[in-house]
Amino acid sequence: MFGRVGEVGVGELSSALDALAGDDLTPLFGPALLDRLRELLVAQNRIAAEITRTVRECESAGAAEFDGLKTMASWLRGHAHLSPAEAGRVVRTGRAIEHLPALAAAFAAGTVTAEQVAVVAPISKPENLATAADQEVDLAAVDAVLAEVAATRPHVDLTRAVHHYLRRLDQDGPEPDPTEGRRLSVVRHADGSITGRFDLDAVGGEKLQVALESLVQAGRCAGDERTRGQQLGDALVQLGDLALASGTLPILRGHKPHVIVTIGVEDLVDPATGPGAAQLGSGGQISTARARWLACDGQVSRVVMGPDGMPLDYSRTVRLFPPQVRRAAEVRDGGCVFAGCGAPTWWCDVHHLLE
């Protein structure tokens, strides 16, 4: 009987969502659209709270084992198609709200988001709860204050409040190792492009931001229509260029680190674009036009391959632009010749200029 009640409730929710999806939004105007959005955001939070509560109950009851899985995190990855990070967040949130009734009530009412609950969750870790108990901290008061901040203040204020509480909780603890929280994950796609995410401590993040901002500001030129994100992306690549060009990076597999591109000689001299004809050392595919662009300021080695794929002959490595030619170009141009760009010569590569 209890299962049937739950099925009816979820069925009613599904019907209500079907009705919402069928609404014609065209006649609605600004204020009406915003009112609708506010109500939907509250409903989204309430649904997230109910999902979290149910996940926690499933974990307590060992429900995942009925599907042959050991944890609810693995169940969420397999059945809800959540990422490992998101599945872990939902499980941890469910554990946290058991110790934070005020925050749980705000979450259920829809005034607090799942992301905000995840920010507060660390205060309910067993070690933090034990420390709070030893110091006779009124956790209920802390819970109420943080729930109020989450419901009424910008997200950044909640983050600061949680960090302030945790710092005050362990004032005499050892200084944490900043490297423990640093992470960088990179995903390479079929076309050779990459995406990723990183987590840095405050000092490490400040170093990266200062380095990128210096390149962003120095690289601004007249008519620059790039977005802020594009400017930072270009600055990150420039940071890599400068590090590689300096020659001071650690030796990698017996050689100074460098970008390797493999391309057939016919494609290299052919003026056509030739998408996907060149291969990077990592296996990514790039066009012949991009390969020729890299070859301008790189070293070129000729390798003759036999029909069985074995190298038959190879030549000495040569530079298309030897040092004396680069110095002459630096004296002649004095910096980047791209219209409106004032980048100094030591930031620039030498390339053929098409007029």
Side-chain angles (χ1 to χ4, degrees), residues 124-181:
S124 66
K125 288 182 177 180
E127 59 271 25
N128 291 331
L129 290 175
T131 302
D134 291 341
Q135 298 180 14
E136 298 183 350
V137 173
D138 186 352
L139 189 61
V142 173
D143 174 30
V145 169
L146 291 178
E148 178 68 17
V149 172
T152 61
R153 303 292 298 169
H155 186 84
V156 66
D157 289 350
L158 176 65
T159 302
R160 289 171 179 165
V162 172
H163 287 175
H164 176 74
Y165 169 77
L166 293 176
R167 285 195 299 268
R168 294 290 298 273
L169 192 64
D170 189 22
Q171 296 184 64
D172 299 325
E175 180 69 17
D177 182 356
T179 62
E180 290 183 358

Side-chain angles (χ1 to χ4, degrees), residues 66 191 321:
F66 287 90
D191 62 353
F321 289 103

Side-chain angles (χ1 to χ4, degrees), residues 270-349:
D270 186 348
T273 302
Q279 187 176 49
L280 296 171
S282 61
Q285 301 290 318
I286 61 173
S287 68
T288 55
R290 191 65 172 168
R292 287 192 294 270
W293 183 86
L294 289 171
C296 277
D297 200 43
Q299 297 179 340
V300 178
S301 299
R302 176 179 58 84
V303 180
V304 179
M305 307 295 290
D308 57 353
M310 296 294 291
L312 300 179
D313 183 33
Y314 58 90
S315 68
R316 295 180 59 186
T317 298
V318 297
R319 292 190 67 90
L320 296 186
F321 289 103
Q324 63 271 22
V325 175
R326 180 183 176 93
R327 284 195 295 271
E330 290 176 346
V331 172
R332 181 194 65 188
D333 298 331
C336 181
V337 298
F338 185 81
C341 183
T345 56
W346 55 88
W347 284 12
C348 301
D349 293 325

Side-chain angles (χ1 to χ4, degrees), residues 2-351:
F2 293 111
R4 182 59 183 168
V5 170
E7 291 171 7
V8 171
V10 173
E12 292 174 348
L13 175 61
S14 181
S15 298
L17 291 174
D18 288 339
L20 282 172
D23 287 348
D24 182 10
L25 303 184
T26 306
L28 298 181
F29 132 91
L33 283 171
L34 292 176
D35 288 342
R36 186 180 196 270
L37 179 58
R38 290 188 186 95
E39 293 180 6
L40 287 174
L41 290 173
V42 170
Q44 175 182 258
N45 294 339
R46 297 186 66 182
I47 292 174
E50 195 58 31
I51 290 172
T52 301
R53 186 170 74 95
T54 305
V55 166
R56 179 54 182 159
E57 191 62 31
C58 287
E59 186 179 42
S60 299
E65 296 180 5
F66 287 90
D67 273 344
L69 298 170
K70 291 185 177 181
T71 66
M72 278 308 298
S74 61
W75 192 94
L76 290 170
R77 292 196 302 269
H79 291 269
H81 310 296
L82 299 186
S83 68
E86 179 63 13
R89 185 197 63 75
V90 174
V91 172
R92 288 191 300 272
T93 300
R95 297 169 184 168
I97 58 178
E98 289 187 336
H99 304 282
L100 304 169
L103 187 67
F107 192 21
T111 58
V112 168
T113 69
E115 184 181 14
Q116 290 174 306
V117 177
V119 169
V120 181
I123 76 171
S124 66
K125 288 182 177 180
E127 59 271 25
N128 291 331
L129 290 175
T131 302
D134 291 341
Q135 298 180 14
E136 298 183 350
V137 173
D138 186 352
L139 189 61
V142 173
D143 174 30
V145 169
L146 291 178
E148 178 68 17
V149 172
T152 61
R153 303 292 298 169
H155 186 84
V156 66
D157 289 350
L158 176 65
T159 302
R160 289 171 179 165
V162 172
H163 287 175
H164 176 74
Y165 169 77
L166 293 176
R167 285 195 299 268
R168 294 290 298 273
L169 192 64
D170 189 22
Q171 296 184 64
D172 299 325
E175 180 69 17
D177 182 356
T179 62
E180 290 183 358
R182 294 177 185 170
R183 288 178 295 273
L184 171 65
S185 59
V186 175
V187 178
R188 185 175 299 280
H189 304 290
D191 62 353
S193 63
I194 65 172
T195 55
R197 63 158 294 167
F198 62 85
D199 296 285
L200 297 177
D201 60 286
V203 175
E206 189 75 6
K207 289 179 179 179
L208 179 62
Q209 286 184 298
V210 169
L212 292 178
E213 192 62 32
S214 69
L215 295 171
V216 167
Q217 296 303 322
R220 296 176 65 186
C221 58
D224 188 356
E225 296 182 352
R226 294 174 299 166
T227 65
R228 174 68 175 174
Q230 290 171 327
Q231 290 175 344
L232 288 171
D234 288 341
L236 185 60
V237 173
Q238 181 71 53
L239 198 61
D241 284 341
L242 294 174
L244 290 171
S246 70
T248 58
L249 291 175
I251 297 298
L252 180 64
R253 291 185 288 276
H255 301 278
K256 289 184 177 181
H258 57 282
V259 175
I260 299 175
V261 181
T262 303
I263 184 173
V265 64
E266 297 85 359
D267 291 319
L268 182 62
V269 299
D270 186 348
T273 302
Q279 187 176 49
L280 296 171
S282 61
Q285 301 290 318
I286 61 173
S287 68
T288 55
R290 191 65 172 168
R292 287 192 294 270
W293 183 86
L294 289 171
C296 277
D297 200 43
Q299 297 179 340
V300 178
S301 299
R302 176 179 58 84
V303 180
V304 179
M305 307 295 290
D308 57 353
M310 296 294 291
L312 300 179
D313 183 33
Y314 58 90
S315 68
R316 295 180 59 186
T317 298
V318 297
R319 292 190 67 90
L320 296 186
F321 289 103
Q324 63 271 22
V325 175
R326 180 183 176 93
R327 284 195 295 271
E330 290 176 346
V331 172
R332 181 194 65 188
D333 298 331
C336 181
V337 298
F338 185 81
C341 183
T345 56
W346 55 88
W347 284 12
C348 301
D349 293 325
V350 181
H351 296 293

